[in-house]
Amino acid sequence: MAKPGDFLTTYMGEDGVIVTRGEDGRIGVFLNSCSHRGNKICLAEAGNRRRFTCNYHGWTFDAKGDLVGLPQEEIYKKTCPGFDKADLGLRRARVENYKGLVFATFDDDAESLDQFLGDYRWYLDVLLDNDEGGTEFLPGNIKSRMACNWKFPAENFAGDSYHAAWTHNSGAVAMLGVGVGKSNRERSYR
Ligand code: FES
């Protein structure tokens, strides 16, 4: 998401959102739901666009989530007292970032990101400042759908550190130059 107009779609909780980089370089996060009748606006996972046009009635929003055009606008102006495009943009989230990680909330009264992260920033710094040049996030993602009880993967993330030295060793070697727990030379693969 380096260039103006770059976007991706993802979820905040159960809500689909569009994450965009605007012409001014700033990141915006919007509900992926048309302000007209709630239709899902962006069906792509990622790309580059200056505008998002809803495929239901053609309302069009820019990378800041503002409503910039709609078919038969003159009829709305004549028949809807107080009609103003400025009031009809996409639902916008509050966005802050920490060292390139984007955080967003729809709660206007939520604490600042600084307060929210608190001492957890130390752990992020360990990850993100691992190299002198900082951390670069590569595009793409991996999604897995597991037909299992949700407690199984939750328990794996929360409590099973035993698997890390074996399953994630190649990732550790790629990222840190050394395997998890012991060096590759000590490790025997059978
Ligand atoms: S629901 Fe999007 S334009 Fe009507």
Side-chain angles (χ1 to χ4, degrees), residues 34 36-39 54 56-59:
C34 185
H36 181 215
R37 293 191 63 193
N39 189 42
C54 179
Y56 199 176
H57 309 93
W59 286 26

Side-chain angles (χ1 to χ4, degrees), residues 83-104:
F83 174 82
D84 188 351
K85 286 208 298 274
D87 299 332
L88 294 166
L90 299 177
R91 175 88 164 85
R92 197 172 302 190
R94 244 181 69 195
V95 180
E96 290 184 66
N97 92 68
Y98 184 71
K99 297 188 176 181
L101 299 181
V102 177
F103 294 81

Side-chain angles (χ1 to χ4, degrees), residues 20 22-24 28 30 50 61-66 90 92:
T20 64
E23 295 292 324
D24 57 2
F30 313 99
R50 290 177 52 231
F61 305 86
D62 66 12
K64 288 192 289 188
D66 291 332
L90 299 177
R92 197 172 302 190

Side-chain angles (χ1 to χ4, degrees), residues 133-186:
T135 300
E136 181 177 358
F137 292 90
L138 300 176
N141 53 47
I142 297 170
K143 295 180 183 175
S144 305
R145 186 179 292 252
M146 298 177 66
C148 69
N149 188 298
W150 67 269
K151 292 175 191 149
F152 179 74
E155 187 276 339
N156 173 74
F157 282 114
D160 185 340
S161 56
Y162 178 46
H163 77 279
W166 185 261
T167 307
H168 303 302
N169 188 59
S170 61
V173 170
M175 201 165 80
L176 306 171
V178 60
V180 182
K182 47 181 169 175
S183 72
N184 282 339
R185 220 171 269 150
E186 294 172 284

Side-chain angles (χ1 to χ4, degrees), residues 5-100:
D6 282 354
F7 76 90
L8 58 86
T9 52
T10 185
Y11 287 87
M12 283 171 58
E14 296 186 348
D15 296 320
V17 293
I18 309 172
V19 183
T20 64
R21 187 175 291 282
E23 295 292 324
D24 57 2
R26 299 180 67 167
I27 297 281
V29 178
F30 313 99
L31 212 52
N32 191 2
S33 174
C34 185
S35 53
H36 181 215
R37 293 191 63 193
N39 189 42
K40 187 173 182 177
I41 294 173
C42 184
L43 304 177
E45 283 202 353
N48 184 284
R49 280 185 202 168
R50 290 177 52 231
R51 302 270 189 266
F52 296 89
T53 299
C54 179
N55 66 5
Y56 199 176
H57 309 93
W59 286 26
T60 297
F61 305 86
D62 66 12
K64 288 192 289 188
D66 291 332
L67 177 63
V68 291
L70 65 157
Q72 301 171 334
E73 183 179 345
E74 60 289 351
I75 297 178
Y76 275 95
K77 282 182 176 160
K78 271 189 208 149
T79 57
C80 302
F83 174 82
D84 188 351
K85 286 208 298 274
D87 299 332
L88 294 166
L90 299 177
R91 175 88 164 85
R92 197 172 302 190
R94 244 181 69 195
V95 180
E96 290 184 66
N97 92 68
Y98 184 71
K99 297 188 176 181

